[in-house]
Amino acid sequence: MTASNASTGKGPSSRSEGPSCGVDPLAGLRAADDPPWDVYLTGTVFLDIIFTGLETAPVRGTESWARGMGSSPGGVANMATALSRLGLRTSLAAAFGDDHYGEYCWDALEQGEGIDLSTSRKVPGWHSPVTVSMAYEGERTMVSHGHEPPPEVVFGQGGAPDCPPRARAAVASLTPGKQAPWVAQAASEGTRIFADVGWDDTGAWDLAGLADLAHCEAFLPNAEEAMRYTGADCPRAAAHALAEHVPLAVVTLGADGAYAVDRRTGESAAVPAIAVEALDPTGAGDVFVAGFVTGTLAGWPLADRLAFAGLTAALSVQEFGGSLSAPSWSEIGAWWRKVQSVAGQDPTALSRYAFLAGLVPEEQGDGSPWPLRRAVPTIGFGGST
């Protein structure tokens, strides 16, 4: 199955829409005594500046001009934005600088994406971390700069907030050899913990070093990470090995899709990837996790969750940037309508996504295309201009 490429080649658009287009995937499950938030997460927010339309990689000693540019919150904001655009009530705890970059990121997340920042803090005298990303030939090169915030606001590592808010789920990024006290506390209060992991710079690749994994419901590493942590010689064997340590193991396989094992039910599922023209993979892993969390909280079958997560990730890599490219239900709906209209479409492949039929929003009545991205070319424009 293929997906349409909606990129214009002009860089991120400045058009805007509501975070989720009014779709609530948990509408049928909500009750009066529910936690106030569907998902809680914490981490570092960067200001991302994305240059697009580069013909080649920058060459030392020369000046390169990009055809497009966009600015957006990055880092943990990629995940928070992806969750919110899928209709989940999302709460983010992060430190924000008191510079213009921090103000911009705060406003973009709180006002633009509807993300709760009541547990976040603005840190006087601390400047925002910044990443400049240059996208070309389907890859990206990034340069980042930042300083550690004061210890009392190092979120997720024993700093503020002292008590995470009540939430159906939380997403944690596991760090070898370190524990985040909020993970155990949240799990003890019934929050379902979904975890990913980064590259182990120590080279140990020891599952025992991921102490917080014991509190997790699901673990979502990529294939290389999964095989290194388990010593397995293939991703599927790694997923089954990981399922001995966590109830639900999901291994992402890049262009080959994803494979999951649910220890509680004995079920396993494999879903192939959707073939797309990848422009920028930034944030695709975050979007995959957001899609999988959404399907899990909604109670979908395991294969549907994998398919949905893979679809949202595939849509994201067709556009530039991290949070810029996270799809909402409008993009998902536009894709679903388009693939159904493609002549000669494989009925079996199409049926894999039939669960979308009752979820996606209707096409706009005026026939205009869905606005695809929410970005501004510069943070220099204020409300008086």
Side-chain angles (χ1 to χ4, degrees):
M1 182 179 292
T2 60
S4 63
N5 182 358
S7 174
T8 63
K10 298 180 181 179
S13 166
S14 61
R15 300 175 68 182
S16 178
E17 69 180 349
S20 64
C21 301
V23 176
D24 181 0
L26 307 186
L29 303 174
R30 298 198 183 278
D33 59 349
D34 281 345
W37 307 111
D38 296 325
V39 186
Y40 167 78
L41 66 164
T42 183
T44 302
V45 173
F46 288 75
L47 170 69
D48 281 358
I49 301 173
I50 305 100
F51 291 107
T52 66
L54 290 165
E55 297 294 339
T56 61
V59 178
R60 184 174 60 182
T62 67
E63 182 179 19
S64 299
W65 280 83
R67 293 193 299 271
M69 189 187 94
S71 304
S72 69
V76 71
N78 295 339
M79 179 86 70
T81 298
L83 290 162
S84 183
R85 289 183 185 172
L86 292 178
L88 298 187
R89 300 170 183 174
T90 304
S91 181
L92 169 65
F96 289 78
D98 64 347
D99 51 14
H100 290 308
Y101 293 167
E103 292 175 1
Y104 163 75
C105 289
W106 185 288
D107 289 344
L109 295 172
E110 184 178 58
Q111 304 299 323
E113 302 295 344
I115 296 167
D116 168 64
L117 300 180
S118 62
T119 55
S120 292
R121 290 188 183 181
K122 295 181 180 179
V123 183
W126 181 63
H127 75 72
S128 303
V130 177
T131 292
V132 174
S133 176
M134 294 161 282
Y136 52 88
E137 299 176 354
E139 285 293 342
R140 82 283 197 203
T141 296
M142 297 183 290
V143 178
S144 297
H145 173 71
H147 298 284
E148 288 290 337
E152 64 270 18
V153 293
V154 178
F155 291 80
Q157 298 182 19
D162 295 329
C163 179
R166 290 179 59 239
R168 296 173 187 265
V171 180
S173 183
L174 305 185
T175 303
K178 294 184 179 180
Q179 283 186 275
W182 71 265
V183 173
Q185 182 175 354
S188 69
E189 296 175 357
T191 297
R192 303 164 72 177
I193 310 295
F194 296 75
D196 60 12
V197 69
W199 190 258
D200 187 354
D201 291 328
T202 70
W205 298 102
D206 181 9
L207 277 174
L210 302 179
D212 285 329
L213 190 62
H215 306 294
C216 296
E217 172 174 332
F219 185 42
L220 299 93
N222 63 34
E224 183 67 17
E225 294 159 349
M227 290 189 291
R228 285 180 178 267
Y229 270 115
T230 61
D233 58 1
C234 74
R236 293 196 177 198
H240 285 276
L242 288 173
E244 298 177 7
H245 301 271
V246 65
L248 180 57
V250 181
V251 176
T252 57
L253 309 174
D256 293 325
Y259 183 76
V261 178
D262 189 330
R263 186 183 69 204
R264 294 163 300 190
T265 65
E267 181 183 12
S268 63
V271 174
I274 297 172
V276 296
E277 179 185 350
L279 296 181
D280 183 2
T282 303
D286 294 328
V287 173
F288 182 95
V289 173
F292 190 82
V293 170
T294 300
T296 301
L297 293 184
W300 300 348
L302 183 58
D304 288 356
R305 287 180 263 166
L306 286 184
F308 184 71
L311 169 59
T312 55
L315 293 176
S316 77
V317 302
Q318 294 180 89
E319 297 294 332
F320 293 105
S323 64
L324 293 180
S325 65
S328 74
W329 285 100
S330 64
E331 286 95 346
I332 296 166
W335 176 86
W336 175 237
R337 288 187 290 272
K338 184 174 181 61
V339 295
Q340 291 181 87
S341 68
V342 174
Q345 186 66 267
D346 181 358
T348 301
L350 196 62
S351 66
R352 172 63 273 161
Y353 299 88
F355 66 92
L356 294 173
L359 291 168
V360 297
E362 297 295 327
E363 190 171 8
Q364 294 184 121
D366 60 4
S368 61
W370 286 106
L372 290 177
R373 300 295 169 245
R374 313 99 178 138
V376 294
T378 175
I379 64 172
F381 295 131
S384 61
T385 59

